[in-house]
């Protein structure tokens, strides 16, 4: 902990100081104090602007004084020759002597003491926004009723932050609205809706009156909306300058209302409501959507039905429809992953004692023909040769349905006739 | 076969050779062979071959071998008498179910089963064909298939046959309506041809086909008239047996 006082003597004091010396003393007293530095003895070689030998006092990078020559106190009742009042708690004293001194000089003797600084009065800019209270070694700020000291311990503001709005509809106004809002405040409001809803802010132009922007267009008092991806505002002036309806596309909005020390107006009042996030009406090929709606929003569920002859193949299973939900991010679930593709019946199964022509394609509607190994086999059921790829992914025949044709042996027809010579 | 000639299996593609019984059978479809009960009464798993004109071992190795899954002997078939020769060949019919389906082709294809409708009836004078590797005028059996054509006659013709052996009393034999008589002019089947088909071509529904009218069953004297099991009387049993013992797919 730095000392509250101290002594600074030149080298060899009170003997003569040596040549070619440069010595610096860093003086520090506790925070919240200033420094009263005074000299009771000064006997340093005199020169113009104290170029040769000197005692320099610097604080905060500014030279407070530079002493040289021989002086004594003018006031018989006080030993002080020179004194300095520094309103900071640090300074530097640097003694310099050059190489040649015709005479003996005995240097200097100085003392410093910590003195209370009246932070409330001694500086141009007052450290507190409202009430400043000085005490030895420091100061503290205090606030009028209804105001609270902010975290910076300097500014007073009303306690208008922290409100979280979670209802789907709500109204928010500046403190005391429509009476003048508090100065020097920062109010943060949070709207937090369920995922899947976007906050829509509506404002009436006349419900907004704040200190107008300065010449550079900066708002001394401002209202702004911030979402994860966007920032709306800041707004100020008489009459709301922004869009009267703001679709934030986000389920969370932070509202920041900031005021300075002057120019209070009636403030603002806004309404908000949660709009379910819309999902785009996608055109997914070869399918129809049920229900058909002009607009789909969060939590809407649609059944996407493949048109006849198309199906959804997922792994080893297939289906002709699937459900998709409008998600909180405005995208449909599964819709990119699942597609209605033509039913593919696959290569038709072979049959014993027959064959099936290689189909051009095996998609819905395709036709294939079976033939038996003639002349030894024939098709058991007339008209069971032609199969068509059906909607359920099987090859179907008019007569047999999905059952495969059957090639059965031709009976009673030898491949060679038996000719006898018998008459 | 008496009074026949060498033939090609292509002319009798339904002909089945029962190797250990040295007998014949008729292929009905991919899974069934029809034969005489007396051929298989002693062997539940006869070894059979199709598609070969000759039956020497080297040829049979190249033929299509059939494995019996089960033999179905007609319930009306009487077991042989403990002494003496069998006199009763009534219901001399049996079915053999095959383990594996038969592959048809120019040398192998089934004979048609007649329906029970009258249009399938066979009349006296219908010309039939028989084939087999059985006894001929000169040999007890042959390695190369022989065949012959012969007319269906009345059963009396068979009852009037006198065997060379005067000991044999024709009237001691059982003749029933389940039997057909065919032959004449020296054309006949004989031992070793048993179970083979008496095939008769019929034009039914504009398509001429051979139907199995009879199965070589017995006779008093080869080279005269022979008795054949009258298959048409067993169509119900045949169909029922095949139906009840088919694999599901075959229904």
């Amino acid at each position: 902990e730095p000392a509250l006082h101290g002594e600074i003597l030149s080298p060899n004091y009170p003997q003569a100081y040596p040549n070619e010396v440069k010595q610096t003393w860093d003086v520090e007293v506790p925070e919240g104090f200033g420094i009263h530095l005074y000299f009771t003895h000064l006997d340093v070689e005199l020169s113009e602007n104290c170029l040769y030998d000197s005692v320099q006092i610097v604080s905060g990078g500014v030279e407070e004084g530079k002493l040289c020559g021989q002086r004594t106190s003018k006031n018989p009742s006080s030993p002080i020759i020179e004194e300095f009042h520094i309103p900071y708690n640090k300074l530097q004293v640097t003694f310099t002597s050059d190489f040649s001194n015709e005479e003996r000089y005995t240097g200097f003797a100085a003392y410093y003491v910590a003195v209370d600084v009246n932070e409330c009065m001694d500086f141009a800019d007052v450290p507190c926004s409202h009430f400043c209270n000085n005490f030895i070694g420091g100061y503290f700020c205090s606030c009028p009723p209804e105001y609270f000291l902010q975290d910076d311990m300097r500014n007073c503001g009303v306690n208008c932050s922290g409100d979280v709005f979670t209802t789907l509809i709500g109204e928010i106004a500046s403190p005391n609205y429509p009476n003048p809002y508090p100065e020097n405040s920062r109010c943060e409001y949070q709207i937090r809706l369920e995922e899947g809803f976007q906050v829509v802010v509506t404002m009436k132009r006349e419900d907004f009156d704040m200190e107008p922007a300065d010449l550079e267009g900066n708002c001394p008092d401002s209202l702004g909306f911030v979402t994860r991806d966007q920032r709306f505002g800041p707004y100020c002036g008489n009459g709301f300058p922004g869009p009267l309806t703001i679709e934030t596309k986000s389920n969370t909005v932070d509202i920041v209302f900031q005021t300075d020390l002057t120019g209070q107006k009636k403030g603002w009042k806004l309404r908000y409501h949660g709009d379910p996030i819309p999902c785009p009406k996608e055109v997914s090929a070869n399918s129809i959507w049920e229900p058909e709606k002009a607009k789909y929003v969060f939590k809407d569920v649609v059944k996407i039905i493949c048109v006849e002859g198309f199906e959804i193949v997922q792994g080893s299973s297939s289906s002709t429809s699937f459900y998709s939900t409008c998600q909180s991010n405005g995208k449909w679930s599964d819709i990119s992953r699942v597609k209605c593709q033509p039913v593919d019946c696959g290569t038709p199964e072979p049959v014993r004692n027959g064959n099936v022509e290689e189909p051009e394609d095996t998609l819905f509607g395709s036709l294939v023909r079976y033939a038996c190994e003639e002349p030894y086999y024939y098709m058991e059921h007339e008209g069971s040769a032609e199969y068509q790829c059906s909607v359920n992914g099987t090859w179907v025949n008019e007569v047999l349905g999905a059952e495969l044709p059957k090639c059965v042996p031709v009976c009673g027809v030898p491949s060679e006739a038996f000719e006898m010579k018998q008459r | 076969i008496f009074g026949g000639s060498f033939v090609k299996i292509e002319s009798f593609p339904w002909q089945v050779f029962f190797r250990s019984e040295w007998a014949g059978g008729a292929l009905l479809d991919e899974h069934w062979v029809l034969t005489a009960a007396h051929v298989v009464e002693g062997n539940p798993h006869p070894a059979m071959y199709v598609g070969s004109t000759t039956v020497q071992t080297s040829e049979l190795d190249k033929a299509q071998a059939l494995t019996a899954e089960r033999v179905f002997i007609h319930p009306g078939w009487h077991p042989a008498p403990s002494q003496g020769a069998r006199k009763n060949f009534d219901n001399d019919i049996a079915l053999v179910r095959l383990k594996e389906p038969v592959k048809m082709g120019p040398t192998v294809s089934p004979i048609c089963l007649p329906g029970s409708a009258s249009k399938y009836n066979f009349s006296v004078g219908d010309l039939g064909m028989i084939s087999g590797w059985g006894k001929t005028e000169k040999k007890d059996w042959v390695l190369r298939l022989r065949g012959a054509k012969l007319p269906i006659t009345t059963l009396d013709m068979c009852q009037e046959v006198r065997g060379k052996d005067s000991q044999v009393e024709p009237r001691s034999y059982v003749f029933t309506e389940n039997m057909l008589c065919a032959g004449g002019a020296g054309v006949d089947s004989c031992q070793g041809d048993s179970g083979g088909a008496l095939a008769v071509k019929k034009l039914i529904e504009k398509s001429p086909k051979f139907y199995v009218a009879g199965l070589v069953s017995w006779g008093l004297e080869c080279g005269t008239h022979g008795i054949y099991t009258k298959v048409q009387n067993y169509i119900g049993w045949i169909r029922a047996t095949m139906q009840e013992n088919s694999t599901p797919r075959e229904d």
Side-chain angles (χ1 to χ4, degrees), chain A residues 351-354 373 376-378 380 403-420 422, chain B residues 3 5 7-8 10-14 30 101-106 110-112 129 147-149 187 209-210 249-250:
Chain A
V351 288
R352 244 169 11 91
N353 310 319
E373 289 168 13
Y376 308 110
Y377 295 88
Y378 70 99
E380 187 175 39
E403 189 186 331
L404 286 178
K406 196 174 165 200
C407 292
V408 294
V410 171
C411 70
V413 181
S415 54
E416 286 187 26
F418 168 45
E419 295 307 335
M420 270 202 71
Q422 261 167 313
Chain B
S5 63
V7 294
K8 290 171 72 177
E10 282 83 350
S11 303
F12 296 85
W14 48 77
E30 295 175 299
V102 177
K103 182 63 187 168
M104 309 304 172
I111 190 165
C112 303
M129 308 197 303
K149 287 187 180 178
V187 178
K209 288 184 178 180
F210 283 95
R249 177 68 188 86
E250 281 173 49

Side-chain angles (χ1 to χ4, degrees), chain A residues 171-234:
Chain A
E171 184 174 276
I172 306 174
S174 53
N176 312 330
Y177 182 85
N179 300 314
Y181 50 72
E183 77 281 15
N184 193 52
S185 291
R186 177 184 173 83
C187 300
E188 291 184 8
Y189 307 87
Q190 295 176 337
I191 301 176
R192 295 287 182 269
L193 299 185
E194 180 192 351
E195 287 269 340
F197 288 86
Q198 68 164 331
V199 176
V200 177
V201 174
T202 54
M203 180 81 84
K204 285 183 185 160
R205 208 166 291 289
E206 63 276 15
D207 286 352
F208 185 93
D209 180 13
M210 285 174 61
E211 193 178 358
D214 60 19
L215 298 178
E216 285 85 48
N218 299 318
C219 292
D221 296 344
S222 68
L223 174 66
F225 308 105
V226 180
T227 72
R228 275 187 290 266
D229 315 318
Q230 280 183 281
R231 179 178 291 276
F232 302 87

Side-chain angles (χ1 to χ4, degrees), chain B residues 26-61:
Chain B
L27 186 65
L28 292 184
D29 73 11
E30 295 175 299
H31 288 276
W32 292 93
V33 170
L34 188 64
T35 185
H38 76 264
V39 167
V40 290
E41 66 180 338
N43 179 358
H45 294 290
M48 300 160 281
Y49 294 86
V50 288
S52 177
T53 300
T54 58
V55 292
Q56 65 263 52
T57 303
S58 58
E59 288 303 312
L60 287 183
D61 292 346

